[in-house]
Amino acid sequence: MRRFVSLVLLLTLVGCDSASNPGQPAPASTATPAPAALRVEVVAAGLEHPWDIGFLPDGAALVVQRPGRLALLADHRAGALVRPVQADFGDVLAEGEGGQMGLLIHPDFATNRRFVTCQTHQVDGNAVDVRLITWRLSEDGARAERIGPPLLTGIPVNPSGRHSGCRPALAEDGALLLGTGDTARPALPQDRTSLGGKVLRMNIDTGAPLPDNPFIGSPDPHERLIYTYGHRNVQGVAPRPGGQVFISEHGPTRDDEINLLRPGGNYGWDPAQGGTVSSYDESVPMTDVQRFPDAVRAVWSSGQERLAPSGAAFLTGSQWGTFDGMLAVGTLRGTKLLLLRIAPDGTVQEVQIPAELNDTHGRLRGVRQGPDGALYVTTSNGTDDKILRVTTT
């Protein structure tokens, strides 16, 4: 039986802030055997930067690829048939970290066949913004057409694609949550009139802010959409059964974070140093509790290790055995899957790295649990990328 590397990473459990100890690495426990191993199967191959995956009621799945492509998987089994879906992605700017990114299947897909994508928008080759688009999939799954105007426009973009964010998720209360990046512009994370460096919360059908959003009384339409702010580059949004929402976020060359969202919370990233510098100063703490004493501290940080966490999802169901309830997080630079055991109050108790997904498949981008209870992970290596199906043995 293969074993897990088990790390008890205590540096940024609630009450201990990495920002106040930026030079200290996270301590780790001795590796311990796992009570079960994982089985990893290749569902599909030959893709290019598959950014996200969404599961349809009939057992098929949609996959978006960053260059501006959409594919339909016939089912979730190993060796599934993959066929392209015809759709107009002519306005997608695939540059750097930007392009065709997040995907969310509408909860009423069975009746309306709608899904939402998040993409970098261009006109005449020039980056305009990042936006949410609503689509309808044809009955035969061969085509997708846009429905109405964009669900949301005006999310800032860097022409290079840097820090594009763009991960949507459906909260337990039905809200559409969207993590955005700060586009490497120093003032945006703390600017509540900008949609960059935020988690947004809106109606999935209209794009309107929800009436209980924390800044709903603001005269600024962007601020009314904001759920949390002070983020660098949100890459994973994971609603937890029971109502909590966790995000994964890229640090600069240190302190990648897992955060528990609190409505209206400031997460403390401020590369503008309160507007005193015009450059993008990445030497500042990820969570600057000196400048912002009320900043929400990360529940976990990578310390000096640079992992670049991406998609995230909770493992739910008895088929996961002792892993039921753990948070799965893919990493890009780290090329591994993290499994975090989280207490009811949000504190991280343990982090495990399964050997089967530790430097075995390259960069791991999308992480979603399927309707069959398995975990689906996309690779993001650029050539012959894969959809992986992960279960226990």
Side-chain angles (χ1 to χ4, degrees):
M1 177 183 293
R2 304 189 74 175
R3 297 178 183 267
F4 281 57
V5 178
S6 178
L7 306 176
V8 182
L9 299 179
L10 303 176
L11 182 61
T12 54
L13 302 183
V14 169
C16 179
D17 177 35
S18 67
S20 62
N21 301 283
Q24 297 181 11
S29 72
T30 303
T32 58
L38 296 184
R39 176 186 293 114
V40 180
E41 303 171 282
V42 176
V43 174
L47 303 169
E48 183 178 355
H49 291 299
W51 219 94
D52 214 343
I53 183 170
F55 301 94
L56 307 183
D58 64 358
L62 287 174
V63 178
V64 284
Q65 297 172 78
R66 196 168 66 192
R69 300 178 198 139
L70 184 65
L72 183 72
L73 304 185
D75 54 51
H76 311 153
R77 294 173 298 181
L81 176 67
V82 182
R83 58 180 172 131
V85 177
Q86 183 180 351
D88 181 8
F89 293 126
D91 61 340
V92 172
L93 180 64
E95 189 70 37
E97 299 169 28
Q100 194 70 36
M101 294 174 283
L103 168 73
L104 182 63
I105 305 300
H106 195 285
D108 297 326
F109 181 90
T111 55
N112 64 23
R113 300 194 65 79
R114 293 188 179 188
F115 63 96
V116 175
T117 63
C118 192
Q119 67 180 57
T120 306
H121 179 70
Q122 59 87 18
V123 174
D124 296 329
N126 298 312
V128 175
D129 60 6
V130 174
R131 52 184 56 185
L132 287 171
I133 308 293
T134 301
W135 304 80
R136 180 185 289 121
L137 185 67
S138 64
E139 291 292 338
D140 62 1
R143 300 174 308 283
E145 62 176 358
R146 299 189 186 203
I147 303 300
L151 191 63
L152 180 66
T153 63
I155 304 170
V157 65
N158 189 314
S160 72
R162 192 177 183 201
H163 295 185
S164 293
C166 218
R167 181 74 67 181
L170 190 69
E172 203 168 64
D173 62 3
L176 191 165
L177 300 173
L178 180 70
T180 71
D182 69 0
T183 72
R185 295 179 186 174
L188 294 195
Q190 295 297 324
D191 180 1
R192 297 210 306 251
T193 67
S194 169
L195 299 179
K198 311 295 190 297
V199 175
L200 310 177
R201 183 172 181 265
M202 69 198 79
N203 184 297
I204 193 173
D205 294 312
T206 66
L210 296 181
D212 57 345
N213 276 3
F215 306 112
I216 194 63
S218 170
D220 185 87
H222 284 173
E223 190 170 22
R224 293 196 290 269
L225 285 164
I226 293 172
Y227 193 60
T228 59
Y229 65 103
H231 300 290
R232 185 173 180 270
N233 191 22
V234 179
Q235 288 284 294
V237 179
R240 185 186 200 182
Q244 293 176 332
V245 179
F246 291 78
I247 62 168
S248 62
E249 186 170 353
H250 286 185
T253 57
R254 66 191 188 281
D255 292 333
D256 297 315
E257 291 185 347
I258 303 298
N259 283 297
L260 171 59
L261 297 188
R262 298 179 185 173
N266 179 1
Y267 286 74
W269 174 244
D270 183 22
Q273 295 190 40
T276 61
V277 299
S278 58
S279 62
Y280 189 66
D281 183 0
E282 297 191 84
S283 70
V284 300
M286 264 293 280
T287 306
D288 192 340
V289 294
Q290 292 186 344
R291 186 176 296 279
F292 308 107
D294 295 331
V296 182
R297 300 164 185 249
V299 298
W300 179 85
S301 169
S302 65
Q304 293 301 302
E305 189 173 10
R306 188 179 180 187
L307 299 174
S310 191
F314 278 91
L315 305 178
T316 60
S318 59
Q319 75 279 2
W320 287 105
T322 59
F323 307 120
D324 185 13
M326 295 187 80
L327 177 65
V329 182
T331 66
L332 297 166
R333 186 180 180 89
T335 65
K336 56 179 60 70
L337 187 75
L338 307 178
L339 296 177
L340 292 83
R341 193 175 305 281
I342 302 177
D345 66 358
T347 56
V348 175
Q349 300 172 317
E350 179 187 23
V351 180
Q352 297 184 359
I353 302 173
E356 294 85 354
L357 286 167
N358 185 10
D359 296 324
T360 55
H361 292 81
R363 295 161 63 87
L364 305 181
R365 170 77 67 180
V367 177
R368 300 278 191 183
Q369 185 170 356
D372 59 352
L375 186 70
Y376 291 83
V377 178
T378 73
T379 71
S380 190
N381 300 310
T383 58
D384 193 26
D385 279 315
K386 298 173 175 63
I387 309 293
L388 308 175
R389 182 177 186 268
V390 184
T391 56
T392 56
T393 57

